[in-house]
Amino acid sequence: MQRYLEMERMTDTYKTDKPPIAPAEDDGYTKSLKQNYLRYLKLQRSMSPNTLDAYGRDLDRLIAFAATQTKRVTELQLSDLQQFAATLHDDGIGPRSQGRILSGVRSFYRYLEMDGYVSDDPTELLEWPVKSQHLPEFLTPQEVDRLEDSIDLSKPEGHRNRAIIEVLFSCGLRVSELVNLQWSQLYEDEQYVRIMGKGNKERLVPISQRALKEIGNYLPWRNTLKIAPSEEPYIFLNRRGKHLTRTMILIMLKRQAEEAGITKTISPHTLRHSFATALLEGGADLRVIQALLGHESIGTTEIYTHLSMQTLRQEVLNHHPRNMMHKSVGNLEEKP
């Protein structure tokens, strides 16, 4: 086990002047709205660049829909937004993604109402799509071992890749947190890493001796790299001495899963799920897991209880004497 807001009013400092009312066909007004909203999310809600990009793309989808209705986004009513939600379904977007997009739309209209662009929030009565319970894929500790053992340590980046997998599994980090991990965040003597998560929220996560050992094994190769001063603070670097990207980590993991003969569809987030599942099955309290993962809501963490119950059910099916007897009888009946 060792391994593993109602929104506040914008302050005068950041509040921006509203753009003048413009004709519906002039997109300058809408463009200014979008810029002001994203600035609000960045400065007041401390959202990361990746989250801001996602909100921006979802808002672009709403703006494009409003254009088809020959309206500005500030003129859309509940019936329009219901139609917008229907188009998401018609476009083949799944319930979870629909929910995320509509959540962003609701956040946008709350901002518009708060700052006086609209008198009422048209999303108040907007219904959300029913989401099926999606259980994330995870790896067992034995599968993580197979993943690490499949790495060719004779290759220059071998020890780095092994350290990456071990840190992801031992600490349950998001991939964005891993690629931005710096030496100043690593406390080897105390065996902690200081993580700056979503919304610039800081948390301390224990790091195992094994993960620290793998980082140490990676250092000799890292020390041979030509590293620019701006890249020196980052722990994990590529062959050109620059810190890694999320895509690089994803490609590496998929390649290693194939080498290890693991048929599950995995990503960096799979190791985060594996970290949480291993803790829960080892008896850790759900609130502790919530804190370690940096989840704002306990509801997000509760999905791992479903994973654990699945495992428990399978254990009962495999090992309870009544089930074993039933299987034995079934096997006898199949014999001629």
Side-chain angles (χ1 to χ4, degrees), residues 148-207:
E148 293 180 352
D149 291 342
S150 70
I151 296 173
D152 185 352
L153 296 180
S154 67
K155 292 184 177 180
E157 68 277 13
H159 283 292
R160 180 204 64 188
N161 292 346
R162 191 176 174 100
I164 286 171
I165 293 172
E166 189 59 41
V167 170
L168 284 172
F169 182 51
S170 292
C171 302
L173 304 187
R174 300 178 178 94
V175 65
S176 58
E177 295 168 346
L178 179 106
V179 297
N180 290 302
L181 191 62
Q182 300 188 12
W183 294 110
S184 61
Q185 296 172 250
L186 179 62
Y187 299 86
E188 293 188 59
D189 293 340
E190 295 83 1
Q191 294 185 33
Y192 275 94
V193 284
R194 178 171 49 84
I195 302 300
M196 190 65 68
K198 288 184 175 182
N200 287 336
K201 292 181 179 178
E202 188 175 277
R203 69 186 192 276
L204 293 174
V205 180
I207 183 169

Side-chain angles (χ1 to χ4, degrees), residues 102-111 121 123-124 126 128:
L102 294 178
S103 177
V105 169
R106 172 171 285 180
S107 171
F108 175 60
Y109 278 102
R110 284 178 175 172
Y111 162 75
D121 177 5
T123 68
E124 279 189 337
L126 185 63
W128 252 232

Side-chain angles (χ1 to χ4, degrees), residues 246-294:
R246 296 181 299 170
T247 303
M248 290 177 183
I249 305 291
L250 175 62
I251 293 172
M252 181 272 287
L253 283 176
K254 287 188 174 296
R255 183 176 62 244
Q256 291 308 140
E258 185 177 351
E259 290 285 337
I262 296 173
T263 58
K264 295 177 181 178
T265 302
I266 74 168
S267 69
H269 220 65
T270 307
L271 290 167
R272 179 169 161 87
H273 294 318
S274 306
F275 163 84
T277 304
L279 284 177
L280 186 64
E281 293 184 346
D285 184 88
L286 202 60
R287 288 287 180 183
V288 173
I289 299 174
Q290 177 191 5
L292 292 173
L293 292 174

